Amino acid sequence: MKDMRTTRSAGLTVLIVDDASDTRNNVRRLLGLTLGMEVVGEAANAEDAIKKIGQLSPQVVLMDVNMPGMDGITATARITSTYSETVVIVMSVQGETEYVRRAMIAGAKDYLVKPFGADELVECIQKAWERETARRVKGQAAHSIGKPHGQVIAVFSPKGGVGKTTLAVNVAVVLAAERRAQVCVVDLSLQFGDVCVFLGLVPRRTLSDLVSETTLDAKTIAPYFMQHSCGVKVLPAPVSPEYAEYVVPEHILRVLSLCRTLFDYVIVDMAASFADTALATLDAADKVLLIGNMDMASLKNMKVSLELMQRLGYGREKVFLILNQAGYDYGIRFGDLEAALSRKVDFYIHHDDIPAMLAANRGTPIVLDQPDSKLAKRFRELVNEHLAPKQRGEEAVSLWRRRQAK
Ligand SMILES: Nc1ncnc2c1ncn2[C@@H]1O[C@H](COP(=O)(O)OP(=O)(O)O)[C@@H](O)[C@H]1O
Ligand SMILES: [Mg+2]
């Protein structure tokens, strides 16, 4: 897989938008030295940029934020809504992070902090373009092929400690143990992955070792899966945070698309971040379970995430909103909360720390450790009613299996 790191986007056409001629010249010079990149035009303001995009159809637009007249964020929103194929990358100076966040919501695919070097610039353009291409290919594949492969379900939240791992693990166990599906959990909480802890497994080889393999196929990946007694397989996260950086978006795309061919369900536990590895995961996923809690910080971050996912083109059918650790006594009414998020919460899971803590500390998922608890029942409902609705007749079979197991 190492060869992917040197993949080059052939003949990418780029438009540079910046009111400072120095910046335009500098970027033109840096890209002029790069094979496979062609600067097709420049614009000193947003209005001219929009006109030139119509004339030149660049594949990538490098957009400054602060410009006289229309600002780069408004321009980004206009461009991405009119020319959905165009990849916009925002260039900003340090300290404009709020603008950057708004630009991403406006549809920018990445951002560069000025001043930047040639390597950083080229890598940013290539990666943004590769992500976009992968997304398009996937979209086309989904249209042209029936349903040969498994589903990728990404469990995400912009905040830590909300219950992502708890959810990922319990959903996986219900699918494997009760629905008899082939399931793997890919731990993409790359720095502090704890799927193995929740399942009482001790990782040996991890994703950071896997990405150093020269080839990636069913045979090479097989020894990396850890097997839990309930049937779930796990691809463990690197054992220590410093190994996380070995895993780049291209690896994630390839690992997930391979896992899709091997399993019915690929559950991805994610970190609380919008890093490019996370964006690649979210793009590759068929479904995103967006998890939040009932505190203001979590709600604010959920709203920002929902807006960003909307800008990334994820529809209602892709993003499934779950409120975990919910309760009636937290000073926020469910109706107000949904109004603040401007959408309905798809599924509520109540707060119940005893079973959750006991299970986590025993290294046994709640649905196995306390199968009769209300939390376990709720996880089963999530799977059976929403994520993998049962076919006719299946209900009776699984009831029979549970009785047999007792
Ligand atoms: N519904 C719940 N009720 C009570 N505690 C919960 C619930 N869901 C998760 N927890 C607990 O919250 C803590 C954080 O959960 P975890 O799954 O590790 O979150 P994340 O993966 O988002 O960081 C854990 O101690 C877990 O046992
Ligand atoms: Mg976690």
Side-chain angles (χ1 to χ4, degrees):
M1 275 206 292
K2 271 175 182 161
D3 54 342
M4 296 183 60
R5 295 178 198 185
T6 54
T7 307
R8 179 145 270 163
S9 319
L12 271 181
T13 52
V14 181
L15 178 80
I16 307 165
V17 188
D18 202 306
D19 56 326
S21 58
D22 280 0
T23 309
R24 295 200 305 274
N25 293 339
N26 193 27
V27 173
R28 187 182 267 280
R29 190 178 53 78
L30 294 177
L31 291 181
L33 302 171
T34 311
L35 244 152
M37 300 251 173
E38 187 193 352
V39 177
V40 290
E42 292 179 18
N45 58 61
E47 291 81 357
D48 191 34
I50 292 171
K51 206 166 78 195
K52 289 208 166 118
I53 290 169
Q55 296 162 350
L56 304 167
S57 306
Q59 289 162 307
V60 177
V61 175
L62 296 173
M63 176 70 72
D64 184 27
V65 175
N66 275 317
M67 289 181 287
M70 189 193 297
D71 64 84
I73 295 164
T74 313
T76 300
R78 295 253 178 107
I79 294 163
T80 54
S81 62
T82 314
Y83 305 100
S84 58
E85 305 262 286
T86 311
V87 167
V88 181
I89 295 169
V90 164
M91 307 181 285
S92 78
V93 290
Q94 232 12 302
E96 290 182 337
T97 47
E98 176 58 19
Y99 289 127
V100 168
R101 189 182 72 79
R102 283 172 45 207
M104 300 293 277
I105 291 171
K109 291 288 186 290
D110 210 338
Y111 65 92
L112 282 158
V113 177
K114 293 181 195 172
F116 42 77
D119 286 353
E120 204 185 337
L121 171 67
V122 170
E123 196 182 323
C124 178
I125 295 177
Q126 283 178 340
K127 286 191 170 166
W129 182 252
E130 279 162 14
R131 279 203 306 271
E132 188 59 19
T133 312
R135 192 205 325 227
R136 273 184 223 157
V137 169
K138 195 175 146 258
Q140 283 158 6
H143 278 104
S144 60
I145 312 168
K147 177 69 192 80
H149 295 148
Q151 263 197 59
V152 175
I153 301 178
V155 184
F156 178 76
S157 105
K159 194 167 172 284
V162 300
K164 288 183 294 298
T165 308
T166 306
L167 215 105
V169 162
N170 282 283
V171 161
V173 173
V174 173
L175 283 165
E178 298 184 18
R179 300 292 294 279
R180 298 292 196 263
Q182 299 288 326
V183 185
C184 80
V185 181
V186 181
D187 195 346
L188 289 185
S189 180
L190 294 171
Q191 295 202 331
F192 295 102
D194 40 22
V195 169
C196 283
V197 178
F198 275 59
L199 285 165
L201 300 169
V202 180
R204 289 188 305 271
R205 304 178 202 194
T206 76
L207 262 163
S208 53
D209 308 313
L210 175 63
V211 300
S212 68
E213 295 273 359
T214 44
T215 53
L216 177 70
D217 54 29
K219 211 168 143 202
T220 48
I221 203 173
Y224 288 88
F225 287 115
M226 303 215 60
Q227 168 97 47
H228 187 267
S229 56
C230 74
V232 168
K233 290 192 175 171
V234 180
L235 204 49
V239 283
S240 186
E242 67 266 27
Y243 295 116
E245 67 190 52
Y246 294 126
V247 185
V248 301
E250 290 82 351
H251 298 138
I252 289 176
L253 293 174
R254 292 192 55 180
V255 167
L256 292 182
S257 70
L258 176 60
C259 287
R260 243 182 224 292
T261 66
L262 304 173
F263 296 91
D264 300 321
Y265 294 95
V266 181
I267 312 292
V268 188
D269 186 24
M270 297 180 64
S273 133
F274 272 118
D276 52 2
T277 44
L279 286 172
T281 309
L282 294 171
D283 275 352
D286 298 288
K287 204 172 255 313
V288 176
L289 308 186
L290 176 59
I291 322 286
N293 287 164
M294 292 186 74
D295 63 86
M296 289 316 278
S298 172
L299 289 177
K300 185 214 82 181
N301 293 333
M302 282 234 282
K303 189 164 172 66
V304 172
S305 304
L306 280 170
E307 285 167 358
L308 180 56
M309 288 180 190
Q310 201 178 1
R311 297 301 318 176
L312 290 170
Y314 302 173
R316 269 302 282 255
E317 70 297 341
K318 175 154 176 172
V319 184
F320 189 86
L321 195 55
I322 299 179
L323 210 79
N324 187 30
Q325 311 199 24
Y328 292 103
D329 313 320
Y330 300 140
I332 304 178
R333 284 196 300 235
F334 294 137
D336 294 343
L337 181 149
E338 292 185 344
L341 293 174
S342 313
R343 72 165 268 181
K344 260 188 91 60
V345 171
D346 296 301
F347 199 79
Y348 285 90
I349 300 174
H350 61 280
H351 182 95
D352 195 352
D353 27 41
I354 304 292
M357 276 299 216
L358 275 177
N361 290 341
R362 286 175 182 153
T364 311
I366 302 167
V367 290
L368 294 176
D369 193 57
Q370 296 139 86
D372 297 324
S373 65
K374 282 188 183 159
L375 269 185
K377 189 163 168 269
R378 202 67 187 129
F379 287 124
R380 269 187 232 116
E381 284 166 355
L382 173 64
V383 171
N384 295 332
E385 289 166 25
H386 297 272
L387 304 182
K390 287 190 175 178
Q391 309 293 319
R392 283 178 68 197
E394 226 187 312
E395 185 75 53
V397 173
S398 89
L399 191 68
W400 176 81
R401 277 200 182 120
R402 276 218 297 283
R403 289 207 180 118
Q404 294 284 307
K406 277 187 182 170

